[in-house]
Amino acid sequence: MIQVQQPTMQTTTAINDKREAMIHLQNVEKVYRTDTIETLALSNINLHIAKGEFLSIMGPSGCGKSTLLNIIGLLDAATKGQVLIDNQDTTHLSDKAMAQFRNKKIGFIFQSYHLINDLAVQDNVELPLLYRSSSAKERRQRSAEALQKVGLSNRMKHFPKQLSGGQKQRVAIARAIVGQPEIILADEPTGNLDSAMGDEIMNILLHLNSTEGTTIIMVTHDEYMAKKTHRLVRLFDGSQVQ
Amino acid sequence: MFRHLFKLIWNKKKENFLMITEMLVSFLVIFAVLSMTVFYYHNYRQPMGFDYEDVWVVNYSAPQSAQRGDSAMLFRQTIRQMLLSMPQIKKLSFAGSNVPFAMSTSNSNIDYNGKSVLANIYDSEISYASVLNMHLKEGRWFTQADEVSKYPPVVINEMTKEALFGKDQAVGKLIGKDNPLKVVGVVQNLKDKGDYQPVEYGMYKLMDTGSYHHASTILLKVQPGTDAAFEGKIFKQLSNAIGSSIEIEHLDKKLASKNKIFLVPAIIATIVAAFLIINVALGLFGVLWYNINKRRSEIGLRRAVGATGNSVSKQLVGEALMLSTFALIIGSFFAVQFPLLNVFDLPEGVYIIAMVLSILFIYFLVIICALYPGRQAAAIYPATALHED
Ligand SMILES: Nc1ncnc2c1ncn2[C@@H]1O[C@H](COP(=O)(O)OP(=O)(O)OP(=O)(O)O)[C@@H](O)[C@H]1O
Ligand SMILES: [Mg+2]
C-alpha cells in the first residue's frame, strides 16, 4: 500500500485554489546526459494542477513536453526539484512503490497507442489489473465496462491489427481508465488521427473529466483541442512560457 | 498472470513453434545421452563379483594328439603339475575361451518350467571359482564327487536364478529339456565384460572327458608382484610343452583395454552431445534476447501500467519456462515410448531416471538462458522504450 504522507508542502506552496491540489512540480529540472552532450530538457518548471483539472500542454517539437509528462507519470526522474502527487513526495520512492503508484493513480495514453498485438482487445484492457490483486472475473467485468465507456463492447475479442487507428486509441483509453486512476496522462492522443476521430477521442476525455472528475494532462499540437481544456501551459525550450 | 502468459504464448504459437521444436530436439538428445549415461553408470556401480588382480590368462591350442579322451586328460595333468610346481603360481584352472574380459562368448538357451533365458555358458573346473575368488550365494561349487554324478552339475549366477526361479529355491532343481542339468549352486553375478557393461545371464559347467577339447585357456592366480621375468620363463616352458605358440595376458590389463574400447566412443559421443547442447543454449539465448529487443515497447508499456522491473524479468523467464513445459510434455510423450515399447534392452528405471534428469536439465538450461535477457529487460528504461517506434 501507498502511505500518504502528511502534506509537508503546504508551507512551501502558494496555491490558494479552492479545489484540492493534485500535482505540484517545484523547480523541476531535467538534464539528459549522453557521452558527448548534455541536453537541458526542462528547466525550472513550477506547475500546480488541481484535482479534476483538464490541462493541456503545447509547445514546439523537442521542447520537453513528453519529458514533463514522463516525470509526472513517474516513468522518468527529475534531475532537480520536487514532484508531489496527491500530497506525496515521489522523489525517493522505490521501484516497487513507483510501480504501484503508476498502477493505482495514473493512466497513460500515447500517440502510438502501445497496444500488445498478440493480445485480444479485452486482454489489452485488463493489463493494469494484472499488476494488482484482482480476480479473473473482476478483470473481465471491469475491462468490459471500460470498453463499453469507449463504445467498443463489440470489439472485445478482436486483435489490435483488426482495428482502425481511432479504435486503437479508444482501446488505449479503456486500458487507461480500467484501473480507475485519478490522473490520466495523454501524450498527443490525437496526433495520429484525422480530425473526426480526434474529436471522438477528445469527447471521451472531456466526458471522463466532467463525469468522473479525472485529472487529465494532455500534450497536444492542436490549438483547437487545447481550447477545449480548462487551462493551457506552453513550453518553449524546456521552460514554461505561460 | 499464469493465464495471461498462456494466452500470450498461445496467440504467438507460430513464432513459438521454432523455439518449442528446438527445445524438444534438445530434450530428446539429452534424454538419449542421459539414458546411456545412467545405464553405464548403473553398470559401473555394480560389484565385479570376482577378483581379477594377479590373474593371468594363458591361451593355447592343444596339439591334435591331446584333444580327446584320456590323452587330453593326461595332457592337462602334465601341464597342471608343471605349473603348480612353481611357487609363484598359487592356483590354476583350465577354462573355455570366454574367461573374463575376453572377446569370445559362448551362449545357449537354458529353460526351466516354460521360462527361458539366453545365457553365457562357461566351461570350468573345480578350481575355477577359487582362482577368480567367486562368491557363492547358495549351494556349493563343484567337487570331485560331481565328476560321476547322474546329471551333469551346473552353477548358475544370481541373475539367471532370479529369471528362472524367482524367489524359489534353485539348488537341486533340474534345468534344460533334453539333457537335464542339475543346479548345485548359485554364484554372485560376475561383471566379466568390463566395468561399464551390464551383467549377463551365466551358467558354469564342469568340463568332463567329453568336453576337454573346449579348454583352450588356463587361468593362473600368481603371487602378488610376480614379474615379467617369470612370465618369460613360463612362456618358454609352456610353448615347449604344448608344442605351439601360446599367449599370456593379465586380467587387469584386459579389463583396461575392454574399458578403453567402451570409453573412447562414449567420450566422443559425449563431446558431440555437449557441442549440441551448447548450440541449443546459444540458440535459446539468442531467441530470448531477440524477443526482448523486439518487445521493448511492450515492456515499457507494462512498466507504465504498474509492472516493476522485477516482474518484467520474471514474466520473461516465466514465458520461457512455459514454452519449455510445452516442449517437455511433447518430449516426454516420445521418451516414455522407449520403456513402454522396450525399444532398447535397457531396464525401465534407467529411462525414468534419464527422463527426470533431462527435464530438470532443460529447465535449468532455459532458466540460465532466460535469466540474463530477463535482467536486461528489467533494466529497460520505460520512458525511452515507450518513445521509440
Ligand atoms: N532519453 C533521452 N536522452 C537524451 N535526450 C533526450 C532523451 N529524451 C528526450 N531527450 C531530449 O530532450 C528534449 C525534449 O524531448 P521531448 O521528447 O520531451 O520533446 P517533446 O516536446 O515531447 O517533442 P515532440 O513534440 O517531438 O514529441 C529533446 O531535445 C530531446 O532530444
Ligand atoms: Mg513528445
Side-chain angles (χ1 to χ4, degrees), chain B residues 82 86 229-244 246 248:
Chain B
M82 182 188 96
M86 304 178 191
F230 177 72
E231 188 180 325
K233 187 177 143 194
I234 55 169
F235 182 85
K236 247 183 227 149
Q237 290 199 2
L238 275 176
S239 299
N240 287 337
I242 292 168
S244 70
I246 63 156
I248 300 177

Side-chain angles (χ1 to χ4, degrees), chain A residues 32 34 39 41 59-68 187-188 221, chain B residues 384 387:
Chain A
Y32 284 113
T34 59
T39 315
S61 183
C63 71
K65 305 181 295 294
S66 296
T67 304
L68 181 60
D187 196 348
E188 299 183 45
H221 279 296
Chain B
T384 345
H387 273 251

Side-chain angles (χ1 to χ4, degrees), chain B residues 92-145:
Chain B
L92 72 82
S93 170
F94 283 83
S97 58
N98 57 345
V99 292
F101 316 135
M103 292 297 167
S104 102
T105 54
S106 146
N107 52 30
S108 164
N109 275 306
I110 49 180
D111 310 281
Y112 175 74
N113 210 3
K115 290 177 208 137
S116 174
V117 294
L118 183 66
N120 289 309
I121 310 295
Y122 301 92
D123 285 309
S124 63
E125 284 193 323
I126 292 166
S127 54
Y128 188 91
S130 84
V131 169
L132 292 177
N133 192 20
M134 291 159 69
H135 309 299
L136 221 62
K137 290 287 169 180
E138 276 173 47
R140 56 176 180 78
W141 187 253
F142 307 119
T143 62
Q144 215 81 49

Side-chain angles (χ1 to χ4, degrees), chain B residues 144-160:
Chain B
Q144 215 81 49
D146 285 321
E147 286 169 359
V148 291
S149 60
K150 183 178 169 201
Y151 297 110
V154 290
V155 171
I156 57 178
N157 68 3
E158 279 180 296
M159 189 173 162
T160 313

Side-chain angles (χ1 to χ4, degrees), chain B residues 196-352:
Chain B
Y196 303 93
Q197 301 306 317
V199 165
E200 294 173 1
Y201 297 111
M203 182 173 85
Y204 300 84
K205 279 172 138 175
L206 184 60
M207 283 187 282
D208 58 16
T209 29
S211 54
Y212 284 152
H213 60 280
H214 290 316
S216 58
T217 306
I218 310 167
L219 291 174
L220 304 177
K221 179 80 178 181
V222 300
Q223 297 286 1
T226 305
D227 58 7
F230 177 72
E231 188 180 325
K233 187 177 143 194
I234 55 169
F235 182 85
K236 247 183 227 149
Q237 290 199 2
L238 275 176
S239 299
N240 287 337
I242 292 168
S244 70
S245 77
I246 63 156
E247 182 190 26
I248 300 177
E249 293 170 298
H250 299 199
L251 267 195
D252 53 358
K253 294 211 179 96
K254 280 177 81 88
L255 171 63
S257 74
K258 262 267 176 185
N259 286 345
K260 205 165 153 192
I261 288 170
F262 161 77
L263 280 174
V264 169
I267 288 168
I268 291 171
T270 308
I271 291 170
V272 170
F275 269 108
L276 229 121
I277 289 162
I278 290 170
N279 238 318
V280 164
L282 286 177
L284 215 68
F285 186 84
V287 172
L288 289 168
W289 182 262
Y290 171 74
N291 252 336
I292 281 153
N293 284 307
K294 220 175 57 178
R295 291 169 67 183
R296 283 175 66 87
S297 116
E298 177 192 333
I299 290 162
L301 178 85
R302 284 178 187 275
R303 296 295 303 274
V305 301
T308 58
N310 234 337
S311 68
V312 163
S313 129
K314 269 193 216 149
Q315 180 200 333
L316 290 163
V317 176
E319 276 179 37
L321 284 177
M322 201 179 267
L323 277 183
S324 53
T325 304
F326 288 136
L328 291 174
I329 289 171
I330 302 169
S332 299
F333 172 79
F334 287 117
V336 95
Q337 305 302 316
F338 285 82
L340 287 183
L341 304 176
N342 201 8
V343 180
F344 301 107
D345 204 18
L346 302 189
E348 243 174 66
V350 166
Y351 289 118
I352 290 164

Side-chain angles (χ1 to χ4, degrees), chain A residues 114-125:
Chain A
H114 285 302
L115 300 179
I116 299 175
N117 286 327
D118 299 306
L119 289 177
V121 163
Q122 191 171 19
D123 295 319
N124 263 290
V125 174

Side-chain angles (χ1 to χ4, degrees), chain A residues 102-103 112 114 118 123 131, chain B residues 7 11 303 305 386 389:
Chain A
R102 288 195 293 266
N103 181 264
S112 51
H114 285 302
D118 299 306
D123 295 319
Y131 296 101
Chain B
K7 264 184 211 162
N11 292 341
R303 296 295 303 274
V305 301
L386 284 165
D389 243 320

